[in-house]
Amino acid sequence: MLRRHARTACTVLAAAGLALAGLQAGSATAVARPEAPSVSTAAGTGAARTLGADAAPPELLRAMERDLGLTRTQALTRLAHEAGAGATAARLRQNLGSAFAGAWVDGPEARTLTVATTRAADAAAIRAAGATVRVVPNDLAALDRAKAALDRAATAEAPVRYVDVRANVLVVEEARAGAGDRLLAATGVPRDLVRVVRTAEAPRPLYDIRGGDAYYMGGGGRCSVGFAVTRGTTQGFATAGHCGRTGTSTSGYNQVAQGTFQASVFPGNDMAWVAANSSWTATPYVKGAGGANVQVTGSVLQPVGSSVCRSGSTTGWHCGTIQQHNTSVTYPEGTISGVTRTTVCAEPGDSGGSYISGSQAQGVTSGGSGNCSTGGTTFFQPLNPILQNYGLTLKTTATDPGPGPGPGEPQPGGTWAVGKVYAAGDVVTYGGATYRCLQGHQAQTGWEPPSTPALWQRA
């Protein structure tokens, strides 16, 4: 939790900033071609166009060059590959069913997509889709069930739990020797599913309408705007729940009266939204380097290994990569689940700020460790659950379709609806056909199922 008090900076949260571990001997069997295939395909080009990865602004590219050590050409190539990899991995997840064990991208330009499965017979289909194959003993659903059992019993002695898909294990970070084993004993989770690693730090929240701009809470403290949203005719923004409670008043970066928290959840999740008064207008932008606007075109969550950039009112614009989704973190205030772990740095006051991949909104800053001088680990609350829980519509640069059915209302094409948040596996009808969602996102005009194969597959 990275909240900045108005007069006194609170301590930066400490979470274990551990690098991704490699495969343990015997934990998995790699099955791959002599040369790793590239995820750059015609389908990938279509995905890049849908997600706006082919029109990245200079501010985003410069930050990727600085923080990821890329050239401008490499940064553009990486964004396109990540978009294609996400679409390919999503299709394979649907096709593999219960055997699916995770997916991730590797390499400076994210050229290699790896998909894990528990069935060796799936190798040909995975390769045919342009990915490398890893055959592993544990499917992702089984590891997620084991993590859920640990989450229910976890304390701050074992503050972070996540599934490392590369290593095909459930990782437990322990702040005190023996805490991991005590947690396993209390829950009955098999020891061979888990790797316990020691951390000297413990996560705390990062306390402290354009994404990344500062706002101030009426009771004291500063946080950062996540993403501009609307709810009917009301305008506002999504942010972290630990920044304020329902009814908390806010003022903007300029100390002008701004709005009020309408709903807030923390712990459990770390989500909230603020309704702004008539003096404020929601814009489809995140504050980039030097104050430049970075456009937001959607909310498609990107796969493990993808690049991601963060905007916050303390440290500004920084980039890194996605390490794990569906991570659980136990702060002193309680456990939050379903957050994403990243290598992006943050400091107090950055809480609530925007995470964006290319032009796709990812989530809002929850907590982390370290700082932007020495680096660290951060966690973000994914945005789509916030939009869904509160009935919000993300403000994007998509063309305004004019009057028509509102968010959540049936569209002429069938049950598919603009403004509805879809999760992978959801089924809709459109134009007399049935489609299955491949990647979670909020639907918008221009993303109709027949025209977005990166997001929808005909059933």
Side-chain angles (χ1 to χ4, degrees):
M1 194 160 56
L2 296 165
R3 176 179 180 176
R4 172 77 70 182
H5 289 290
R7 295 182 175 83
T8 304
C10 66
T11 305
V12 178
L13 81 58
L18 297 173
L20 288 173
L23 283 171
Q24 290 181 326
S27 64
T29 303
V31 182
R33 292 176 174 177
E35 293 184 0
S38 169
V39 295
S40 179
T41 62
T45 301
R49 188 176 303 113
T50 297
L51 273 58
D54 58 348
E59 297 77 21
L60 175 68
L61 299 176
R62 283 196 291 268
M64 292 178 69
E65 292 171 32
R66 178 195 66 199
D67 296 337
L68 297 177
L70 305 175
T71 65
R72 184 179 184 278
T73 299
Q74 286 177 317
L76 282 167
T77 301
R78 179 174 184 129
L79 290 172
H81 285 166
E82 289 170 352
T88 299
R91 292 190 191 95
L92 287 170
R93 180 170 191 164
Q94 292 287 336
N95 296 338
L96 297 180
S98 61
F100 179 77
W104 59 93
V105 293
D106 284 307
E109 298 178 353
R111 286 186 178 275
T112 304
L113 168 66
T114 301
V115 175
T117 177
T118 58
R119 292 188 303 242
D122 294 329
I126 294 172
R127 289 177 181 141
T132 60
V133 186
R134 185 164 291 165
V135 180
V136 296
N138 305 307
D139 63 78
L140 185 59
L143 292 171
D144 281 341
R145 286 193 299 271
K147 188 181 78 68
L150 297 181
D151 290 346
R152 289 190 290 270
T155 68
E157 289 188 342
V160 179
R161 288 84 54 202
Y162 56 83
V163 174
D164 183 345
V165 292
R166 285 181 169 94
N168 194 232
V169 295
L170 173 56
V171 176
V172 174
E173 295 182 359
E174 62 177 12
R176 181 173 297 178
D181 287 332
R182 287 193 293 274
L183 181 58
L184 297 182
T187 58
V189 171
R191 189 63 175 82
D192 60 358
L193 293 181
V194 179
R195 179 192 302 136
V196 177
V197 296
R198 188 69 185 275
T199 175
E201 301 175 327
R204 295 173 59 191
L206 298 171
Y207 276 58
D208 234 14
I209 305 176
R210 178 179 59 170
D213 276 338
Y215 69 92
Y216 300 85
M217 289 73 76
R222 169 169 60 85
C223 278
S224 302
V225 172
F227 292 93
V229 299
T230 59
R231 184 174 178 179
T233 59
T234 301
Q235 303 188 63
F237 59 88
T239 189
H242 72 259
C243 289
R245 293 290 177 247
T246 302
T248 299
S249 62
T250 68
S251 57
Y253 64 91
N254 52 6
Q255 300 287 0
V256 172
Q258 179 188 61
T260 306
F261 276 77
Q262 300 298 297
S264 177
V265 176
F266 179 79
N269 297 116
D270 198 358
M271 60 176 69
W273 83 283
V274 173
N277 61 40
S278 59
S279 298
W280 295 80
T281 301
T283 67
Y285 302 109
V286 165
K287 182 179 181 180
N293 288 334
V294 175
Q295 69 174 349
V296 178
T297 65
S299 61
V300 179
L301 193 65
Q302 295 300 285
V304 168
S306 296
S307 59
V308 64
C309 297
R310 178 195 55 72
S311 183
S313 60
T314 298
T315 58
W317 185 252
H318 290 274
C319 300
T321 58
I322 292 172
Q323 292 182 297
Q324 289 92 20
H325 293 303
N326 194 27
T327 299
S328 295
V329 184
T330 301
Y331 297 134
E333 296 85 348
T335 295
I336 60 169
S337 298
V339 294
T340 295
R341 186 172 180 258
T342 82
T343 65
V344 187
C345 70
E347 295 180 9
D350 289 327
S351 269
S354 329
Y355 279 78
I356 188 166
S357 289
S359 63
Q360 296 300 304
Q362 299 297 294
V364 301
T365 305
S366 173
S369 66
N371 55 53
C372 288
S373 296
T374 61
T377 297
T378 52
F379 307 95
F380 69 75
Q381 163 70 57
L383 180 64
N384 283 325
I386 303 178
L387 301 176
Q388 182 174 37
N389 286 358
Y390 301 137
L392 306 173
T393 299
L394 176 65
K395 190 75 173 178
T396 70
T397 54
T399 302
D400 185 352
E409 296 179 4
Q411 307 295 299
T415 61
W416 179 84
V418 170
K420 183 174 175 59
V421 175
Y422 292 104
D426 286 351
V427 175
V428 300
T429 58
Y430 186 91
T434 301
Y435 295 85
R436 179 173 289 106
C437 180
L438 295 175
Q439 301 187 79
H441 65 283
Q442 183 170 57
Q444 57 181 280
T445 300
W447 282 9
E448 292 81 5
S451 61
T452 51
L455 304 178
W456 294 96
Q457 182 178 59
R458 189 158 178 168

